[in-house]
Each structure stands twice: as structure tokens, then as C-alpha cells.
Amino acid sequence: MKERILVVEDESQIAKILKLELEFEGYEVVVAHNGRLGLTLALEGSFQLILLDLMLPELNGMEVLRKIRKENHLLPVILLTARNMTMDKVAGLDLGANDYITKPFEMEEVLARVRSALRMAAYSKKMATNDQEQLFIQDVMINLQTREVERDGKSIFLTPKEFDLLVYLLMNKNRIVTRDDIIYHVWGYEYEGETNVIDVYIRHLRKKLDDDFSDSQIIQTVRGVGYIIRES
């Protein structure tokens, strides 16, 4: 069965290109040209992923995302944003977007991000259906079904990308993973040496996981190589 993708984009040329390219890759694609219709389809339809523009008529993308997340915490959502919308990107990730793509974009990047988001969603679903609804490390509990994280019984809010990063590190516990490994498997595009995106996300994760606890760090740095979660 083909994976279904909803494209919510009001610029007809961009929507047309996305639909053609995604269908060429084997996906089934539905397009909505305004936020209100996009929200209706997202809540009523059976989609595996949504590409969501932020600047939409009738209902803006941020509000669409907010309403989607009230009903569905697991559906991957990738934002389509303008280059100068840094604050909106941050706000979108905080609201529960899995990733964002900056316009103008290369289709290779879009396809890579889509594959990555679908791969992570499928892995979480597979783990949950194999009676592995929860992962544990020290006193940290990760619920793959609800994407909730707790440490010592205290709830910890993670953005979707932070959650995916933590799950990937746990999937590879006791093994050093490089930044290249993380970029490929969690972000899904080729790592560029000058970017510090991995270090930023690791820092965010550590702050949320470790700051209020006296135990040892969950995520450890292997200097010059990468990161590791060790199971004691």
C-alpha cells in the first residue's frame, strides 16, 4: 500500500512540483491550498505524513499544526517556511513539528526529509506493535506509543526531533554514533561539516534530561568521535 502524504501549500506551482515529485517516488499525494481544508483533511484522512506551509489563507499553518497536535501526537509534520522566519521555525518545532524545510528548497532535500520522518515513524510504530511500547535507560522511560518521556516519574517535554534523536541513541546504546550517523538516520540528509545542529540538539536534550537530576549524564560525549548512551 502506498504511503499517503498531504501537502498543504497555497502556492500552486510549489504544490504542483511537490505532488509530481512525490508521486514519482511512489507516494500517494493529496493537495490542499488553504489551511482550513488542510486541517479537515489532516483530521479526517489517513495520511502518513504532512508537508505544511506556514503562510496559508483562511487558517495559518501554525494554527493548523496546533489543532493537529491536539488530536494526533504521532503523525509526522514537516513545515515549509520562508528563509527569514526563524522565530516561526522555533515556534513550530515547539508546537510539535517534526522538522522544517526552508524555501526555496531542493527536491532532493525534501525527499530525504520525508524518508527520514517516515522511517522514524515506522520504527516507533513497529516497536510499539512488538510489545516494546516503552524504552528504558537508568530512570528514564520513553513511551513510543504516546511519545512521552519521564525521568524518575517526572514528565519531560521533548520536541519531535529531540524525541527522535533520543530514540535513535537508545536504539544504538553502548555503541558510539557519529554526527554523520545521526544526521543521516534522524535528519535524513547529508551532513555538512560546518553545521553544529547535532551539538545544539544534544545540548538541549541534556538540559532537559539532566538539569533537575543528580545522576550521571544520560548522553555522553566521545571527544572527536560522537555520542553514546551506555547501559550500566
Side-chain angles (χ1 to χ4, degrees):
M1 184 179 295
K2 290 184 178 181
E3 291 170 304
R4 302 185 76 224
I5 296 176
L6 174 62
V7 175
V8 189
E9 169 62 68
D10 65 317
E11 295 184 51
S12 58
Q13 189 60 27
I14 292 177
K16 181 180 179 181
I17 292 171
L18 287 170
K19 180 176 171 64
L20 286 172
E21 293 286 352
L22 288 166
E23 287 180 338
F24 182 78
E25 292 296 314
Y27 302 108
E28 182 181 339
V29 181
V30 176
V31 174
H33 292 290
N34 65 71
R36 196 168 300 281
L37 176 59
L39 177 62
T40 299
L41 291 171
L43 297 182
E44 293 180 356
S46 176
F47 296 97
Q48 280 69 57
L49 182 139
I50 298 179
L51 289 173
L52 175 65
D53 186 31
L54 285 181
M55 302 296 290
L56 293 167
E58 298 193 27
L59 196 64
N60 69 59
M62 206 70 77
E63 190 60 28
V64 173
L65 175 60
R66 182 179 291 108
K67 291 178 182 295
I68 289 173
R69 282 296 175 247
K70 283 184 179 179
E71 303 295 328
N72 190 328
H73 295 286
L74 304 180
L75 178 63
V77 178
I78 299 176
L79 301 180
L80 304 175
T81 74
R83 189 175 298 278
N84 61 350
M85 296 171 64
T86 302
M87 293 305 296
D88 283 340
K89 294 171 187 173
V90 173
L93 292 172
D94 286 343
L95 271 178
N98 296 73
D99 206 347
Y100 66 83
I101 299 170
T102 301
K103 298 178 183 178
F105 48 74
E106 298 289 337
M107 272 310 304
E108 289 79 6
E109 179 187 0
V110 174
L111 295 173
R113 302 289 186 100
V114 165
R115 286 193 296 268
S116 176
L118 290 172
R119 184 169 58 242
M120 291 301 296
Y123 179 79
S124 294
K125 183 177 180 180
K126 180 180 177 181
M127 293 279 282
T129 55
N130 286 344
D131 295 327
Q132 273 191 280
E133 291 188 8
Q134 297 177 336
L135 298 176
F136 296 90
I137 186 72
Q138 296 184 28
D139 55 353
V140 176
M141 183 280 294
I142 297 96
N143 190 311
L144 296 168
Q145 192 93 33
T146 63
R147 297 178 73 91
E148 293 174 315
V149 178
E150 294 181 359
R151 183 165 190 186
D152 195 24
K154 179 181 177 181
S155 179
I156 297 172
F157 170 76
L158 298 184
T159 67
K161 190 59 70 179
E162 291 167 350
F163 182 89
D164 290 344
L165 175 55
L166 178 59
V167 169
Y168 177 71
L169 290 169
L170 271 173
M171 285 163 50
N172 294 277
K173 61 187 176 184
N174 299 319
R175 186 175 79 85
I176 300 170
V177 293
T178 67
R179 290 172 179 81
D180 286 2
D181 292 332
I182 294 170
I183 283 285
Y184 178 78
H185 290 283
V186 180
W187 271 259
Y189 61 97
E190 199 168 307
Y191 177 66
E192 297 178 4
E194 68 272 18
T195 181
N196 66 346
V197 63
I198 302 303
D199 306 290
V200 171
Y201 271 85
I202 292 290
R203 187 166 67 247
H204 290 172
L205 264 180
R206 281 176 171 158
K207 183 175 178 62
K208 293 180 178 183
L209 290 172
D210 298 328
D211 271 11
D212 294 333
F213 302 91
S214 58
D215 293 346
S216 59
Q217 277 191 338
I218 300 295
I219 304 168
Q220 299 175 32
T221 300
V222 180
R223 192 172 299 278
V225 183
Y227 300 97
I228 186 171
I229 289 180
R230 289 190 173 92
E231 187 174 39
S232 55

